[in-house]
Amino acid sequence: MSTWAPSASISTRITLSDIVQTTHSPDPAYETPVLQLISESRSKGYDSVCLPLTTDAWKKRWTDMCIVPETAGDEKRKRESRRESRMFVSRDTTADKKAEKWRENPCFELDEVTITRLGLWYTLLRTAIEGLTEASSSDEAQNVTAIISEWLELDTEDDWIRCDAEIALQQELAYASYLNIQTAILPPPRNREYVSSYARIINACLRKIPYMNLAVRLPVYDPHAIQDPARPSTSVPGTPRSGIFPGGLKLVNPAKSLEAQIDAAWEVWDLIRTICEYNTRLSLALDLGPPLPPSLSVLSKWSAESVRYIFLPASTFIANAKGYPVLPKPTQTFIRDSMAHRPNIVLANVSSSLHSRGGEDAYSQYIKHLETTSPIVQSTKTAGTVENFAQGYQDFLQAPLQPLMDNLHSITYETFEQDPVKYRNYEEAIYAALMNLPQGTRIVICVAGAGRGPLVARSLKAIDRSKRNAFIYAVEKNPNAYVTLQNRLRSEWQRKVELLFGDMRQVNIPEKADILVSELLGSFGDNELSPECLDGAIRFLKPGGISIPSSYTAHLAPLSSSKLYNEARSVKDLKSLETPYVVMFQAVSILSGDGGGASGKCGLKIQECWEFEHPRRDGVLNEQGLPPTNTHNTRSAKLSFHIPHAGVLHGLAGYFEAVLYGNIGLSIHPLRKDSISKDMLSWFPLFFPLREPLYLPSNSELHVSIWRLTNQRQVWYEWHAESFLSIQGTSFELSTSLSTPSLGSTPRANSILTMSPSPAAPSPLIDAIEIPLERRAHKEDAEPSRMMNGLLKIGHTGLHNADGRSSWIGL
Amino acid sequence: MSTWAPSASISTRITLSDIVQTTHSPDPAYETPVLQLISESRSKGYDSVCLPLTTDAWKKRWTDMCIVPETAGDEKRKRESRRESRMFVSRDTTADKKAEKWRENPCFELDEVTITRLGLWYTLLRTAIEGLTEASSSDEAQNVTAIISEWLELDTEDDWIRCDAEIALQQELAYASYLNIQTAILPPPRNREYVSSYARIINACLRKIPYMNLAVRLPVYDPHAIQDPARPSTSVPGTPRSGIFPGGLKLVNPAKSLEAQIDAAWEVWDLIRTICEYNTRLSLALDLGPPLPPSLSVLSKWSAESVRYIFLPASTFIANAKGYPVLPKPTQTFIRDSMAHRPNIVLANVSSSLHSRGGEDAYSQYIKHLETTSPIVQSTKTAGTVENFAQGYQDFLQAPLQPLMDNLHSITYETFEQDPVKYRNYEEAIYAALMNLPQGTRIVICVAGAGRGPLVARSLKAIDRSKRNAFIYAVEKNPNAYVTLQNRLRSEWQRKVELLFGDMRQVNIPEKADILVSELLGSFGDNELSPECLDGAIRFLKPGGISIPSSYTAHLAPLSSSKLYNEARSVKDLKSLETPYVVMFQAVSILSGDGGGASGKCGLKIQECWEFEHPRRDGVLNEQGLPPTNTHNTRSAKLSFHIPHAGVLHGLAGYFEAVLYGNIGLSIHPLRKDSISKDMLSWFPLFFPLREPLYLPSNSELHVSIWRLTNQRQVWYEWHAESFLSIQGTSFELSTSLSTPSLGSTPRANSILTMSPSPAAPSPLIDAIEIPLERRAHKEDAEPSRMMNGLLKIGHTGLHNADGRSSWIGL
């Protein structure tokens, strides 16, 4: 399980000019310049290297074969393929013939690739022959990530250039695969109009090349779109801000706000990932070169995506007061939060002395500092936290328990009895209830569903503390746990407790109770049939008696997670996408925001579905004191969520909150759990998956219907969602808010550059002082439009778990 | 196949008061009033009857049990369930106990249902015992459509009323099922906010009751929303306009345009159908009570839905000059077009003498007149039309032929040789080409892929007509067809033709040809590998020679069809939803419109994807005159469609158009085929299905990507779509155009009422004169907004047939 501990690996990016330089001054200890560079990187402490796979010679040959040479003075003619051009111009076909021969049998010449047989491959061979251990030279090949030719235009408008770029891409990937390279970084998508072509090509490559991982390079947004062209883009003149990437997304409109641009970049990724059918070998290499917005909510969606690489060119770093490289605060926060996903952080240009202090080591040291100070890393290392307790369970789908239908095993009770918070709160609730009952009179407590006895033990403690005269009946239907109870009765509890064996819906109790204590709650509150069980047990209670818990509520939020979607559908049975799971969320993002939405009618980020109260205030009962039907335990909810940023819905997150007694409760509601039952371990949230992801644009509304249904034998949930856009008012403010240039606020990038050094910052790890900016984004958050003229339906899911076909809880 | 001929059946609706009246004056020849009414209906010529299943006694009992009685003077309190109320009010629980007992075991009392054991059921029994033929009394049960209690509120906001209404619905359907009734008509959805609950309940019933068909009653829109409240709603005062339905959809905003309302009603149906997973037992009973708009394009989507019943209350009819009942023109047109789908037309209130002339018979006679004059009925009855030729093939999915990979059977050739238009046009093209060649010199024609010889025969005719000196080489690779060719050579063609056996990509021809004739086209043009085959045959041609066809184009349009979607997924293999099919479209609707769309950049309703030309203008060839690779035959298209009305995309319709020679062509393009090759029979369109339907709102844009791809052995298509909304400008005009009441145009309903009788209309079948109205709708169509500030992505499909995994054409 320790392999799950959050941490990053750090890579360095080797460039073609690095290789050329090494060629000019080779170290005879190495067989090739590449081997030398890799070895040097390792000795500098990098875990791995990123390396361009091809040389300029390849670029030249490909271009000569496939593209019409640009003639001087002919600037109006667009760059075009020889094929397109051939339709109209009669000319020498030597290049065409060469190209067609290449298309028939694509093959590199020796000087067109950086890694050759004499390099890594030869070393691998030697390793095998000479029996060197894996840790030695063969490791070098394993730790190389190949960067595919950046100039390949997989999404250009020209059909024929795209076609030839696809052949070249397949050729490069086949060669990388031959070299046993595990991951290749792909050229970034550049043209929104043809992203579907880019994605189709990547998908074809994933299908053709069976084992290799492919990572799509993607700038978090196009930095050029918000830069003031009159000013230099970084603190070091002449270095392009985007650092690693020669091109950026060309789709973005300069008038768009930063957040809309980030949404647009994500939208490109979403399209690629969708077209590649959420292939688990496809991941993201997110370029954090451009400065991030101070409000990180727009970035939270990346945590639901497979971000395997984070590119950080030296130019992203700013200098702190001492001149050491540090990251701008939002980037820091993003990196710290990303540690949960164990990214490979790729540093580039770090040997070029962009910052005055610390040298090359300062960059990786700073990353390691971010790792150490990451909240997720810290809580994972702290005993008693859920993160520490549940290592290895992140994003792991578990079928919810059915303790009514199945008899739990001792080990399951053991696990849940470890929760200090839950039982502490139960004890406090019982204590408070006892204190509200008169001293001196005999008080009867009934523990309904005693299990191995933790609530009996806590009740006894509460009785003791409250100095009340109380007796306990403990009801349990699990014959195996009942043996443990008998043992504890004899050894610990003696005459203070009477055990009753049987289902609480059937057994009889010798006298009515003042307090009925139960722990029948599931992750969604009622999903382990607490309402139905307590319907059966509430007859034990005197009129006006107390139930602990006295009520509980189920809560829901829309959730995005490529990982959970893939996990749920990895089970071949399609029904797995209609079954709720218990999951410790990690690679997820909650899509909803607060603020009413475009219609002004949306609820909170996380919304309550329904409530159960015990005892029921009223109801028809039969002679046995039981309800004739279970129809009163049906529930339904229709919830409206505001979706501030574009995202893709993969399911719903379910939580519960319970009132035990008075103001003592239990909660796994993400925003309230820490104030109600911090560090409680017993419940992970519930995940209601969707069969098909639902795309949600920025500023849309999601209307979720969920039903708790029942028949004579079962209880089950069904769920469904519809998406809407406001068709009037200012729901589309994202595109309009920045369309007038007169809205004067300093672009973020420039503000970072004009900061003044702070004399009070002595450590290389202390942050630079930043001027807050992007106030507009903040203002929009604070004052959402309330105007509402109507909603336009834009999409829906199917009905899930119709008629309980895939999952139900047995009564 | 004759069962496929379009036609309607006509039903009458029997009301509770009809039954009560019959009870008061029974005919002793019948055992029950219901039997009497059914028998009378049959003798009036109706094919079947619709009958309410329950009586007012049932409504009273259910209401007393489940709903709090409304007390006078307490108008502010909303109608509420006893359960909800019980939470707050302490009172007598007799009704609650009765309700709970009912919920436990739902059961009718004798006087609560219209059809009892003594009625139909008894007759059925007697039929079995006395061995009566099926045509007699037992038919009566079979032809009864049960109308479920209209007052059941399956979509009310009150959870508990909904819950009890669901129990009542199940009880009614179970009883109808017991009676062997085949179809039940459900209460109309009334509350947009809770349509998902309505649909969930219907879905549960479909799953619980295995054989019965359920039809959702749906007014084509809410007539109250556009009525002027100051005027009477029909020409006969006191009769409610909607006739059959006590309630209408409450979702519509009075400010919405008629078209937007029709879209909204469809949206409700779409949601129900989706939640019920396109269950084939779920259909629509469309209420055409409200007058239809003059522009029917918004109604075309209903042809893609399962409309099994069309309700026509007598009040929908207007009187013609003679006082006979006729339908308003748009309703006429809609009914005529609907004949293709064989609807059951339900006439109601037709015995109440609403119209002065013709009596009850006039209504059904008029419907039969519409049937006879329906264009689809007429063309089906006319020899030589596609509709007549292809009866039984409507909406039937066929795998496209692969004549290159498979050798066709004689019967297949036989079928296609029946096409008079195709070969006539070929002959004309050959004739025209010959006429353009000099007289006197020897001309060589090569027929590449001669099959059983139709093109050879036509070439000979053309030679004859043109008086040219020409010789024919006929190449054929199918050894079986080659026997037929040898026979024809001996018996018909003698020395005018030389046969060459072999694949046109391999055989050699003794001399180069002036004209190369081939018939290798598929429904999508290139989908039977015409480009690849002609690449192989073009070397037969002299420089400057003529290929017939000289070029062809593939065309695409977005298509909606519940039926085709169901057909494609009925094959259990999921791959069936990624395979293009050849289909004669019937229950389909093309979703696109002309006019540029919100962005102003959209193309036509049906758009061209790509073109192939023969001979190719240029290209690298090897020594054999063949292209070294097939990469030049890859194609791709990115098309933008304007979607004027909300609809659901189930796939793409594919068509082709070919230029044979000069201005002689072949076309199955729906808008052009009649001018190019009317009544051509050989090709049905291609249907590219989608795995999951994609919802498209009104005024959205659909961007379709489609690729023709190839490797050494195969050719295949991949396709993908994205949907967008314009985020500024007036793309949402549907909600804004009518929001100002000052836009004065007379509401349609009133215009119909104020028409003056025309003295020149003598026949009961001649139409009333109507005043054109809803000019606004026309104006909007004619002047779409061209303003465009950006597109907001709202949805996408997956990539279909990725890497040719599901379907390909073998080279």
Side-chain angles (χ1 to χ4, degrees), chain A residues 286 411 675 770:
Chain A
L286 199 61
I411 185 75
S675 64
E770 293 173 44

Side-chain angles (χ1 to χ4, degrees), chain A residues 519-594:
Chain A
E519 51 166 333
L520 304 163
L521 297 174
S523 299
F524 202 48
D526 53 87
N527 65 309
E528 294 182 12
L529 302 191
S530 179
E532 283 76 9
C533 292
L534 290 183
D535 273 350
I538 217 78
R539 65 206 158 90
F540 302 157
L541 212 52
K542 290 176 187 163
I546 296 160
S547 171
I548 296 176
S550 64
S551 70
Y552 35 88
T553 45
H555 302 257
L556 222 53
L559 181 135
S560 184
S561 173
S562 296
K563 180 137 187 217
L564 293 187
Y565 173 66
N566 255 340
E567 292 288 322
R569 71 185 187 132
S570 68
V571 188
K572 288 287 171 265
D573 186 359
L574 265 179
K575 290 184 175 176
S576 65
L577 282 162
E578 300 195 75
T579 301
Y581 296 96
V582 168
V583 191
M584 184 189 177
F585 292 148
Q586 181 168 288
V588 308
S589 165
I590 299 295
L591 294 171
S592 47
D594 290 333

Side-chain angles (χ1 to χ4, degrees), chain A residues 740-756:
Chain A
T740 31
S742 62
L743 281 175
S745 90
T746 323
R748 168 170 184 65
N750 298 337
S751 300
I752 293 171
L753 306 178
T754 55
M755 72 213 167
S756 56

Side-chain angles (χ1 to χ4, degrees), chain A residues 83 86-90 93 96-97 100-101 103-104 159-160 162-163 166-167 192-197 199-200 203-204 207-208 253 256 267 270-271 274-275 277 574 578 616-621 627-638 640 648 691-692 695-698 703 705 707 709 712 716 718 720 722 724-728 732 734-736 739 789 791-799 802-803 805, chain B residues 83 86-90 93 96-97 100-101 103-104 159-160 162-164 166-167 192-197 199-200 203-204 207-208 253 256 267 270-271 274-275 277 574 578 616-621 627-638 640 648 691-692 695-698 703 705 707 709 712 716 718 720 722 724-728 732 734-736 739 789 791-799 802-803 805:
Chain A
R83 277 189 149 150
R86 197 168 51 204
M87 302 293 229
F88 309 102
V89 191
S90 168
T93 59
D96 300 331
K97 283 181 180 150
E100 190 69 0
K101 200 174 163 195
R103 288 180 198 115
E104 209 174 351
D159 273 7
W160 301 119
R162 240 171 33 228
C163 177
E166 178 175 4
I167 297 169
R192 174 63 184 90
E193 187 69 10
Y194 285 86
V195 167
S196 56
S197 278
R200 187 200 62 71
N203 186 50
R207 296 176 65 92
K208 279 205 183 75
N253 177 342
K256 276 190 181 176
E267 184 202 308
D270 174 62
L271 186 56
T274 301
I275 284 185
E277 297 176 326
L574 265 179
E578 300 195 75
R616 287 166 65 200
R617 294 208 193 157
D618 199 354
V620 175
L621 301 177
T629 75
N630 198 33
T631 53
H632 60 282
N633 283 326
T634 57
R635 291 286 186 280
S636 82
K638 177 112 198 225
S640 299
V648 60
R691 289 196 296 270
E692 292 290 329
Y695 184 91
L696 299 173
S698 298
H703 293 192
S705 296
W707 297 268
L709 296 163
Q712 272 77 43
W716 70 95
E718 300 185 24
H720 174 262
E722 287 183 89
F724 296 87
L725 279 170
S726 174
I727 57 173
Q728 263 193 325
F732 299 115
L734 65 93
S735 73
T736 61
S739 54
N789 290 68
L791 291 174
L792 180 72
K793 160 91 164 257
I794 55 167
H796 50 210
T797 71
L799 179 68
D803 222 28
R805 67 178 156 202
Chain B
R83 277 188 150 154
R86 198 168 49 203
M87 302 293 227
F88 309 103
V89 190
S90 164
T93 58
D96 299 331
K97 283 181 181 152
E100 190 70 359
K101 201 173 160 194
R103 286 179 200 116
E104 212 175 347
D159 273 7
W160 301 119
R162 235 168 40 224
C163 177
D164 286 338
E166 178 175 5
I167 296 170
R192 174 66 185 88
E193 187 70 9
Y194 285 87
V195 167
S196 57
S197 279
R200 187 200 61 70
N203 187 48
R207 297 175 65 90
K208 279 207 183 74
N253 178 341
K256 276 190 182 176
E267 185 201 308
D270 174 61
L271 186 56
T274 301
I275 285 186
E277 297 174 327
L574 265 178
E578 299 193 75
R616 288 166 65 201
R617 294 212 195 153
D618 200 354
V620 174
L621 302 177
T629 76
N630 197 33
T631 54
H632 60 282
N633 283 325
T634 58
R635 290 288 186 279
S636 83
K638 176 115 197 221
S640 300
V648 60
R691 289 196 297 271
E692 294 289 329
Y695 183 91
L696 300 173
S698 297
H703 293 193
S705 295
W707 297 268
L709 297 163
Q712 272 77 44
W716 69 95
E718 301 185 24
H720 172 265
E722 286 184 272
F724 296 87
L725 279 170
S726 173
I727 57 174
Q728 265 193 324
F732 299 116
L734 62 96
S735 73
T736 62
S739 55
N789 291 69
L791 290 174
L792 180 71
K793 159 91 166 252
I794 55 167
H796 50 211
T797 72
L799 178 67
D803 222 27
R805 65 178 157 200

Side-chain angles (χ1 to χ4, degrees), chain A residues 257 642 699 729-738 780 783-785:
Chain A
S257 77
H642 167 51
N699 250 324
T730 57
S731 68
F732 299 115
E733 58 193 321
L734 65 93
S735 73
T736 61
S737 60
L738 286 188
E780 280 167 20
E783 293 171 18
S785 163

Side-chain angles (χ1 to χ4, degrees), chain A residues 75-90:
Chain A
E75 283 170 13
K76 277 188 90 175
R77 213 179 69 195
K78 67 168 191 176
R79 180 177 153 86
E80 61 181 4
S81 69
R82 286 187 170 269
R83 277 189 149 150
E84 186 66 22
S85 153
R86 197 168 51 204
M87 302 293 229
F88 309 102
V89 191
S90 168

Side-chain angles (χ1 to χ4, degrees), chain A residues 707-721:
Chain A
W707 297 268
R708 184 188 203 262
L709 296 163
T710 178
N711 60 22
Q712 272 77 43
R713 301 168 311 282
Q714 293 148 355
V715 169
W716 70 95
Y717 303 99
E718 300 185 24
W719 58 99
H720 174 262

